[in-house]
C-alpha cells in the first residue's frame, strides 16, 4: 500500500486528508475529509495533478517589456517546467489582446497559453 | 597632471576641506573609495549642529565646534542644504542630573555659547511641550540645530567641483610614494594620482591611510551608534533637539526633529571591532526606546520606518587629531573626527587650509569663485502655482515618483545627472525612497529612470556601489527546474 | 493659471475599489472622475499575474490583470472619466463645504478638481523591514514581497537567486511560487505565529508543491551581508521571544518581507479624516462616509480585505450610499456607534443607522473550527451566526437586517468558540 497526506484546498477548512492506495490508484481510500469535495480533490491530486500556470513573456513594447500570460486550463504538473522555460525564451510582438492564444495545445496537453491582458503599444 | 592637494575621503571633513581649498588658485583632487560622497561615516550621522557646551575648551574639538557652529548660516545661504536652528535642550530628572546640568551650563558660558540658559521645569515644558512632565529642570542652548548631513556633503562637493575640484569616486588608496616633492598615490584598481600635498580625511580608515603614507601610527576605534527613524506623522516629534544628561563617553540617546519633518531617536554608543559592522540589534532598539520614552513619552514603536547604524572614528584620547604629520612630509592628518565633527567641519576645513599654508602651500584667492549654488527646487516645498510654472518648463516636475516624500521625476533625473547613479545616491540626494514605504513602491520606478538616464541595464544597478547589486539578472537567465528542488517528487 | 475642473464624484485610485465604485456612480448618471497615479487602471492587480481572482464576483477564476481589465472595461462603458499618471497631493474641504483636490500630472501640471463627493480608494501598502525593526546590516537584496513582485512581473528582473521569505502572508506565499517558477530557489518561509498568515490554498500550491519549508513560530533575528545579503539568522520563538541559543543560519542573497498591509491614509489624515487604530483605515458610518462630510472610503484603504471580490462588493455598496447622499438623503446624523469586542480585531463600519440594514465586516483574532458571531444591543442578543471555519486570514461578514436594528444604542459584536455554548 502507498500512502500520502494532503491538505484539501476546496474550502477554507483545509481538511487534512489521508490517502492510501495500491498499484495505479486501484482501491484508493481517502479519509479525513468532511465533505465529498475533499475526496474528489485528493483523487485528482493523486491521479493527475495539474495547475493553472501564469508567467510573463518578453514583448517588443517599450512601455510593457513583459506581458502576463496564463494557461487556459490546468496544465499537468510534469509539463510546467518545460512550459516556463519555453515562455522565458519567447519574444512577442504587440499589440495583443486578452485571450489571444500564444501557444496552442502545448505538448499535446490540449492546454493553450493565452495573454491575460490587452496591450496596444 | 600633478595636483596641488589630494584630499583623501569625501565625508564632511574631506568635503569641507576640498570646498575651502576651491576658493584658491589650486588644483585639488578629492578621492573617495566608495561610489558616492558622504557614504561612509557621514551618511549615518545624527545631523546635530551642536551648541558647544558639551566639551571643555581645552580640547581641539570644542574650539572647532564653537567656531563651526557659527558658520552654518553663511554656509546654508551659499549652499542651500536643509538646516534649522531648533535649539538644544538637556532635560534632567534627578538632583544628581541637575548637578551635571549646572556643570554643562557653566562650561557653555565659559565656552561663550550664545544664549545659554538654565531652565526650571516650567520653562523647559514651555520650550518643549512633548517633554516628559516629570522633568525637574535642565538647560537650553538656542544655537543648536539640525541638518541633513548627506545633503550638506553633497552640496559642499557640488560647489567644490563647480569651482574646479576634481572628484574621483571608487578610488581606494592602496599605495603611496614620494619623489621630487610629489606624492604618487595608487588606487587598488591601478589608477594613479600625483599631488604635492595630501590631506588624510579617511574617517574610520585614517589609521590605515596614515600607514600607507609612512606617517604616524595610531588606531581608529570604531564606536557604533544605532538610530531609528519615526514617520513624519509621529505625534512624538519635538520642536527642539532633546538631550538627556550625558554619560562618560557619549552625549546620550536623543530625540531629534530632523529638518525634513521626520523624528530620529538615537544614537547608541558602543565600541566594536569591525569597521564594517553597521548592523542594528534588537537589544539596542529596546534600550533606545526605553531611554527616549523617558524624555518624550509619545515615542511609539508603531511609528518606526527604518533603522540604521553608523560608526564614529575615535582616537585614544577622544579628541580630534588635526595636524601636519611629523613623519611624512606635506601630509596633514584629519583623524578622530567623531562628534561634534559635523558641527566643527566648516572650521576643520579652514584649520586644514591654514596648516597647508604653514607647510608652504601658496594660497591665492580666485578672481572668479562661484559662491552660491543655484537653488534646488523640491516639489514638497513648492506652492501649486510655482509647480505649475516648473511644469511648463519641464513636465517631469509634476510626475510624482516617490509618493511618500513627494519626489518628482525631475528631481530624480537631476540627481542622476549630477552623478548619483546608485539607488542610495538618488535616495540621499532627493529623499526618494526615504519615507514610510521605504522604496517599496518607487524603487523599481527609480531603477528604470537611472537606467534610462545612464544606459546601465536595470539588472546591473547597485544600491550603493561595489557588490551591492540590486538584481541577479533577467527573467530567463536561470533555468526552471522545480523537479530537482530539494530532491522531492517535484512539482 | 492653474486649471480647475468640476465633477459630482471624484474617486482617488483606479484599483478594484475605485473602478467598481466609479462604475456605480457613473451608471446612475453622475459625472464621475477616477484619478490614479499609474498610467493604467488596475492598481496592484496588474502585477498580481497569478490566478485566483474573481471566483465570487465574476464567477470564474481570473488573473489579476484580467480582473483589472474587466472592471476597467465596465467603468469605461458606464462613462467614467479617467485621469491617469496623476497624483492627488491634497484634499481640502472648503468653508462652503465643497471638496477640492490638488493633483499633479505630467500631462496637465497642477489641476484643481472640485467634487460634491470624494471616494477614497487608494488601497494599502506593505509593512516593511523597518516597521518591524529587524536587526542586522542594510545590504541590497532586501525587498517587500510586492516590490519583488513588481520587479519580476512588470520589469522582468530577477531580484536574486536564493531567497528567504519573512512572513507567510498571501503575497509572500504567492511570491514563493513566482520565484520558484523564475528559477530562484526559496530556502524557507519564516512565520512568527503558530499558524500561517495566508490562505490554505496558497500554502498548498505555493509552498507544499515545491517542498518549501514553512518555519512556524520562528523569527528572522539577523540579516547578514555588506554589499548584498549573504545570509539570515532565524531563531525559534518561545512565548513570542526568540531563543537565540537555538538560532541557525540560512545562506541566501535575497530576503522578502510579507508581514502585513497598512491602509494608505496619509492623504485622508491630512484632510482631517479620523482613522481607526484597529484597521488603519478611516472610521466610517453605515454609508461608508468618513468623519469629513462628503468623503467616503472603500476597499483596502478602509480595511485590508482577503479577496478582491469583497473589495468590489464593498465599493459598489459604498457607491450606492454616495448616490443616496447626492440625491439629498441625510448624512451620518442619528447614527449610533458599533464596537468589536472579544476575539474580534475590528468591525467595519463603525456606526449604524436604526432601521437600516447593514453588512458588517470583521477580522477574527482567533483560529477555530466552530465560531459564533453575535450582535448585541442594550443587553439583548439581536442575531448570532455560526461560522464553521474561522481564521485570522479570512474576513467574516454579517448582514444585520434593518428589522433587527430598530433601537438606538451602541451595537456590540463578539466572537466565541462554539463549544462554549
Amino acid at each position: 500500500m502507498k500512502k500520502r497526506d494532503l491538505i484539501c484546498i476546496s474550502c477554507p477548512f483545509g481538511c487534512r486528508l489521508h490517502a492510501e492506495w495500491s498499484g495505479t490508484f486501484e482501491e484508493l481510500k481517502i479519509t479525513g475529509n468532511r465533505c465529498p469535495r475533499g475526496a474528489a480533490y485528493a483523487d485528482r491530486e493523486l491521479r493527475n495533478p495539474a495547475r493553472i500556470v501564469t508567467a510573463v513573456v518578453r514583448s517588443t513594447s517599450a512601455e510593457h517589456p513583459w506581458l502576463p500570460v496564463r494557461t487556459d486550463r490546468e496544465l499537468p504538473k510534469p509539463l510546467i517546467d518545460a512550459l516556463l522555460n519555453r515562455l522565458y525564451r519567447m519574444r512577442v510582438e504587440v499589440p495583443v489582446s486578452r485571450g489571444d492564444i500564444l501557444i496552442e495545445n502545448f505538448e499535446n496537453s490540449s492546454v493553450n497559453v493565452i495573454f491575460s491582458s490587452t496591450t496596444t503599444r | 597632471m600633478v595636483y596641488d592637494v589630494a584630499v583623501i575621503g569625501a565625508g564632511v571633513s574631506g568635503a569641507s576641506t576640498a570646498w575651502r581649498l576651491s576658493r584658491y588658485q589650486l588644483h585639488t583632487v578629492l578621492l573617495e573609495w566608495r561610489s558616492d560622497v558622504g557614504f561612509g561615516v557621514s551618511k549615518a550621522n545624527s545631523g546635530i549642529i551642536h551648541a558647544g557646551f558639551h566639551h571643555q575648551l581645552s580640547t581641539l574639538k570644542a574650539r572647532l565646534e564653537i567656531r563651526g557652529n557659527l558658520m552654518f548660516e553663511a554656509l546654508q545661504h551659499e549652499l542651500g542644504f536643509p538646516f534649522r536652528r531648533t535649539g538644544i535642550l538637556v532635560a534632567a530628572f534627578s538632583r544628581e542630573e541637575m548637578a551635571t546640568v549646572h556643570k554643562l551650563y557653566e562650561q557653555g558660558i565659559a565656552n561663550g555659547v550664545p544664549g545659554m540658559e538654565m531652565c526650571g521645569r516650567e520653562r523647559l515644558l514651555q520650550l518643549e511641550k512633548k517633554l516628559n512632565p516629570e522633568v525637574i529642570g535642565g538647560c537650553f542652548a538656542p544655537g543648536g540645530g539640525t541638518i541633513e548631513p548627506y545633503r550638506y556633503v553633497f552640496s559642499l562637493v557640488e560647489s567644490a567641483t563647480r569651482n574646479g575640484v576634481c572628484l574621483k569616486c571608487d578610488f581606494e588608496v592602496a599605495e603611496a610614494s614620494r619623489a621630487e616633492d610629489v606624492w604618487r598615490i595608487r588606487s587598488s584598481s591601478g589608477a594613479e594620482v600625483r599631488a604635492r600635498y595630501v590631506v588624510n580625511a579617511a574617517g574610520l580608515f585614517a589609521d590605515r591611510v596614515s600607514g600607507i603614507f609612512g606617517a604616524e601610527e595610531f588606531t581608529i576605534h570604531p564606536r557604533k551608534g544605532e538610530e531609528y527613524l519615526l514617520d513624519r506623522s509621529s505625534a512624538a516629534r519635538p520642536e527642539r533637539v532633546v538631550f538627556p544628561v550625558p554619560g562618560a563617553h557619549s552625549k546620550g540617546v536623543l530625540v531629534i526633529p530632523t529638518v525634513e519633518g521626520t523624528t530620529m531617536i538615537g544614537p547608541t554608543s558602543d565600541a566594536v571591532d569591525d569597521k564594517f559592522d553597521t548592523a542594528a540589534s534588537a537589544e539596542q532598539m529596546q534600550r533606545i526606546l526605553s531611554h527616549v520614552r523617558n524624555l518624550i513619552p509619545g515615542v511609539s514603536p508603531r511609528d518606526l520606518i527604518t533603522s540604521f547604524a553608523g560608526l564614529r572614528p575615535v582616537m585614544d584620547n577622544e579628541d580630534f587629531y588635526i595636524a601636519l604629520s611629523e613623519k611624512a612630509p606635506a601630509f596633514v592628518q584629519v583623524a578622530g573626527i567623531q562628534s561634534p565633527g559635523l558641527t566643527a567641519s566648516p572650521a576643520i576645513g579652514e584649520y586644514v587650509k591654514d596648516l597647508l599654508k604653514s607647510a608652504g602651500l601658496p594660497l591665492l584667492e580666485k578672481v572668479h569663485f562661484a559662491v552660491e549654488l543655484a537653488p534646488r527646487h523640491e516639489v514638497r516645498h513648492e506652492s501649486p502655482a510655482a509647480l505649475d510654472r516648473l511644469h511648463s518648463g519641464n513636465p517631469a516636475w509634476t510626475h510624482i515618483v516617490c509618493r511618500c516624500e513627494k519626489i518628482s521625476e525631475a528631481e530624480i533625473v537631476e540627481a542622476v545627472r549630477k552623478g548619483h547613479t546608485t539607488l542610495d545616491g538618488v535616495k540621499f540626494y532627493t529623499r526618494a525612497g526615504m519615507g514610510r514605504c521605504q522604496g517599496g513602491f518607487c524603487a523599481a520606478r527609480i531603477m528604470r529612470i537611472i537606467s534610462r538616464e545612464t544606459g546601465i541595464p536595470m539588472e546591473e544597478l547597485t544600491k550603493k556601489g561595489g557588490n551591492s547589486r540590486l538584481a541577479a539578472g533577467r527573467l530567463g537567465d536561470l533555468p526552471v527546474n522545480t523537479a530537482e528542488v530539494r530532491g522531492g517528487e517535484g512539482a | 493659471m492653474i486649471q480647475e475642473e468640476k465633477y459630482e464624484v471624484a474617486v482617488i485610485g483606479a484599483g478594484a475599489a475605485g473602478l467598481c465604485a466609479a462604475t456605480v456612480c457613473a451608471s446612475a448618471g453622475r459625472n464621475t472622475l477616477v484619478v490614479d497615479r499609474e498610467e493604467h487602471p488596475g492598481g496592484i492587480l496588474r502585477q498580481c499575474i497569478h490566478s485566483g481572482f474573481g471566483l465570487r464576483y465574476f464567477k470564474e477564476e481570473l488573473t489579476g490583470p484580467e480582473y483589472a481589465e474587466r472592471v476597467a472595461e465596465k467603468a469605461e462603458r458606464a462613462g467614467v472619466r479617467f485621469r491617469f499618471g496623476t497624483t492627488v497631493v491634497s484634499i481640502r474641504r472648503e468653508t462652503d463645504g465643497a471638496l477640492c483636490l490638488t493633483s499633479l500630472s505630467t500631462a496637465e501640471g497642477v489641476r484643481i478638481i472640485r467634487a460634491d463627493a470624494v471616494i477614497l480608494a487608494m488601497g494599502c501598502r506593505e509593512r516593511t523591514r523597518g516597521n518591524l525593526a529587524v536587526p542586522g546590516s542594510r545590504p541590497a537584496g532586501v525587498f517587500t514581497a510586492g516590490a519583488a513582485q513588481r520587479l519580476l512581473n512588470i520589469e522582468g528582473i530577477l531580484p536574486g537567486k536564493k531567497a528567504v521569505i519573512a512572513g507567510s502572508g498571501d503575497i509572500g506565499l504567492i511570491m514563493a511560487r513566482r520565484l520558484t517558477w523564475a528559477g530562484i530557489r526559496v530556502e524557507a518561509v519564516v512565520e512568527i505565529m503558530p499558524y500561517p498568515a495566508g490562505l490554505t490554498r496558497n500554502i498548498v500550491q505555493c509552498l507544499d508543491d515545491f517542498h518549501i519549508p514553512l518555519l512556524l513560530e520562528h523569527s528572522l533575528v539577523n540579516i547578514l551581508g555588506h554589499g548584498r545579503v549573504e545570509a539570515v539568522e532565524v531563531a525559534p520563538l518561545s512565548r513570542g521571544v526568540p531563543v537565540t541559543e537555538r538560532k541557525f543560519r540560512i545562506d541566501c542573497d535575497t530576503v522578502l518581507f510579507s508581514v502585513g498591509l497598512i491602509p494608505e491614509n496619509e492623504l485622508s489624515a491630512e484632510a482631517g479624516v479620523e482613522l481607526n487604530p484597529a484597521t488603519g483605515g478611516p472610521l466610517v458610518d453605515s454609508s461608508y462616509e468618513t468623519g469629513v462630510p462628503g468623503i467616503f472610503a472603500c476597499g483596502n484603504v478602509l480595511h485590508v480585505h482577503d479577496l478582491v471580490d469583497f473589495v468590489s462588493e464593498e465599493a459598489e455598496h459604498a457607491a450606492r450610499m454616495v448616490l443616496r447622499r447626492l440625491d439629498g438623503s441625510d448624512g451620518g446624523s442619528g447614527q449610533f456607534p458599533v464596537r468589536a469586542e472579544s476575539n474580534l480585531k475590528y468591525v467595519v463600519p463603525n456606526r449604524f443607522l436604526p432601521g437600516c440594514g447593514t453588512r458588517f465586516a470583521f477580522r477574527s483574532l482567533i483560529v477555530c473550527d466552530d465560531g459564533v458571531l453575535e450582535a448585541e444591543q442594550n443587553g439583548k442578543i439581536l442575531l448570532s451566526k455560526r461560522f464553521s471555519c474561522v481564521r485570522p486570514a479570512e474576513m467574516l461578514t454579517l448582514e444585520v437586517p434593518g428589522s433587527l436594528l430598530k433601537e438606538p444604542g451602541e451595537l456590540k459584536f463578539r466572537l466565541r468558540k462554539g463549544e462554549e455554548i
Side-chain angles (χ1 to χ4, degrees), chain B residues 276 280 285 304-307 388 391 398-399 403 436 445 448 463-464 467-469 471-475 486, chain C residues 37-38 105-106 109-110 130-131 133 135-136 138 143 150 155-158 181 186 211 226-228 264 266:
Chain B
F276 293 94
M285 181 188 76
L304 285 179
I305 56 174
T306 189
S307 58
D388 207 48
H391 167 262
T398 43
H399 175 212
R403 58 172 81 168
R436 51 181 71 92
R445 290 163 177 83
R448 243 195 205 202
K463 181 173 189 283
K464 49 189 173 183
N467 63 346
S468 65
R469 279 268 292 266
R474 286 271 167 184
L475 198 52
R486 284 179 197 83
Chain C
R37 50 168 76 89
E38 296 295 319
S105 70
T106 310
V110 184
N131 295 140
R138 299 175 55 74
F143 304 91
R150 185 190 157 105
E155 310 288 352
I157 296 278
L158 299 172
W181 276 355
V186 179
H211 309 279
H226 290 303
R228 177 84 194 187
E264 184 124 287
E266 284 65 33

Side-chain angles (χ1 to χ4, degrees), chain A residues 78 81, chain B residues 480-491, chain C residues 180 210-211:
Chain A
D81 287 1
Chain B
V480 182
N481 193 349
T482 54
E484 280 195 3
V485 171
R486 284 179 197 83
E489 57 167 323
Chain C
T180 308
F210 312 108
H211 309 279

Side-chain angles (χ1 to χ4, degrees), chain B residues 269-318:
Chain B
S269 180
D270 295 287
V272 293
D273 300 325
D274 181 358
K275 289 181 177 177
F276 293 94
D277 174 10
T278 52
S281 69
E283 303 76 44
Q284 295 291 27
M285 181 188 76
Q286 290 310 327
R287 239 189 75 200
I288 291 180
L289 277 173
S290 73
H291 278 280
V292 299
R293 285 168 122 171
N294 185 48
L295 294 172
I296 298 201
V299 170
S300 161
R302 284 180 71 124
D303 294 327
L304 285 179
I305 56 174
T306 189
S307 58
F308 59 91
L311 300 171
R312 308 168 180 87
V314 178
M315 297 284 290
D316 285 324
N317 70 353
E318 296 283 336

Side-chain angles (χ1 to χ4, degrees), chain C residues 12 88-94 99-102 113 118-120 122 266-273 292 295:
Chain C
I12 308 175
V88 174
V89 291
S90 80
I91 309 171
R92 212 174 59 241
R93 194 176 134 86
E94 311 216 302
L99 294 163
C100 174
L101 314 183
T102 306
I113 298 162
V118 169
I119 302 178
L120 306 174
M122 295 91 81
E266 284 65 33
L267 198 57
S268 334
E270 281 168 30
V273 170
V292 179
I295 301 184

Side-chain angles (χ1 to χ4, degrees), chain A residues 4 6-7 9 41-42 44-46 48-54 70-81 83-84 109 111-113, chain B residues 489-491, chain C residues 51 61 177 181 200-210:
Chain A
R4 209 175 128 193
L6 301 125
I7 301 171
I9 60 168
Y41 170 78
R44 199 170 58 245
E45 272 299 284
L46 293 170
N48 182 23
R51 297 285 182 264
I52 296 279
V53 180
T54 61
R70 60 171 293 181
T71 56
D72 62 354
R73 45 186 288 202
E74 293 182 328
L75 180 73
K77 274 180 154 190
L79 294 176
I80 293 178
D81 287 1
L83 174 63
L84 290 167
S109 61
V111 175
N112 302 322
V113 176
Chain B
E489 57 167 323
Chain C
S51 65
E61 184 166 353
R177 176 175 60 192
W181 276 355
T200 307
R201 179 175 73 182
N202 290 332
I203 299 288
V204 171
Q205 295 205 336
C206 302
L207 301 188
D208 296 353
D209 266 8
F210 312 108

Side-chain angles (χ1 to χ4, degrees), chain B residues 70-325:
Chain B
L70 300 173
M71 295 166 79
F72 271 90
E73 268 82 11
L75 274 169
Q76 184 191 28
H77 178 74
E78 289 172 14
L79 302 176
F81 52 83
F83 161 64
R84 200 160 70 91
R85 286 205 197 270
T86 53
I88 286 176
L89 56 83
V90 180
F93 292 86
S94 68
R95 279 162 175 263
E96 297 77 56
E97 287 194 344
M98 273 312 283
T100 311
V101 168
H102 268 283
K103 282 185 202 148
L104 287 177
Y105 171 75
E106 276 154 25
Q107 194 162 274
I109 296 295
N111 291 0
V113 173
M116 191 83 195
E117 180 185 340
M118 271 307 287
C119 304
R121 177 174 179 274
E122 300 308 313
R123 171 69 175 144
L124 270 190
L125 289 171
Q126 179 200 7
L127 285 165
E128 180 48 66
K129 292 179 179 55
K130 305 277 172 71
L131 207 57
N132 182 350
E134 286 168 26
V135 69
I136 63 167
C139 64
F140 177 61
T146 60
I147 187 176
E148 295 286 291
Y150 32 84
R151 285 284 301 275
Y152 170 55
V153 176
F154 289 148
S155 56
L156 284 169
V157 173
E158 201 175 316
S159 172
T161 52
R162 272 189 67 206
N163 285 294
V165 171
C166 172
L167 170 69
K168 290 184 192 289
C169 286
D170 297 307
F171 190 106
E172 182 187 13
V173 173
E175 289 169 43
S177 58
R178 190 170 168 90
E180 293 166 7
D181 291 341
V182 170
W183 284 107
R184 181 184 287 258
I185 309 166
R186 287 177 70 85
S187 81
S188 51
S189 58
E192 191 180 286
V193 158
R194 285 179 298 155
R196 291 190 180 84
Y197 292 81
V198 170
V199 176
N200 172 18
L204 286 165
F205 302 93
D207 47 0
R208 195 166 83 195
V209 168
S210 185
I212 290 171
F213 282 83
E216 284 77 2
E217 283 179 26
F218 56 89
T219 306
I220 295 291
H221 306 281
R223 192 184 286 157
K224 193 199 280 188
E226 293 185 22
E227 309 259 15
Y228 290 80
L229 197 66
L230 308 182
D231 193 280
R232 52 175 74 248
S233 69
S234 169
R237 179 177 161 86
E239 282 292 306
R240 310 181 187 279
V241 181
V242 179
F243 277 71
V245 172
H249 283 296
S250 86
K251 301 183 178 78
V253 178
L254 359 162
V255 186
I256 305 160
T258 71
V259 198
E260 288 288 2
T262 51
T263 303
M264 199 151 74
I265 56 176
T268 52
S269 180
D270 295 287
V272 293
D273 300 325
D274 181 358
K275 289 181 177 177
F276 293 94
D277 174 10
T278 52
S281 69
E283 303 76 44
Q284 295 291 27
M285 181 188 76
Q286 290 310 327
R287 239 189 75 200
I288 291 180
L289 277 173
S290 73
H291 278 280
V292 299
R293 285 168 122 171
N294 185 48
L295 294 172
I296 298 201
V299 170
S300 161
R302 284 180 71 124
D303 294 327
L304 285 179
I305 56 174
T306 189
S307 58
F308 59 91
L311 300 171
R312 308 168 180 87
V314 178
M315 297 284 290
D316 285 324
N317 70 353
E318 296 283 336
D319 203 355
F320 294 169
Y321 170 37
I322 309 177
L324 278 171
S325 170

Side-chain angles (χ1 to χ4, degrees), chain C residues 186-199:
Chain C
V186 179
E187 295 291 339
V189 174
V190 182
E191 168 61 51
I192 58 169
M193 300 302 282
Y195 49 84
L199 303 171

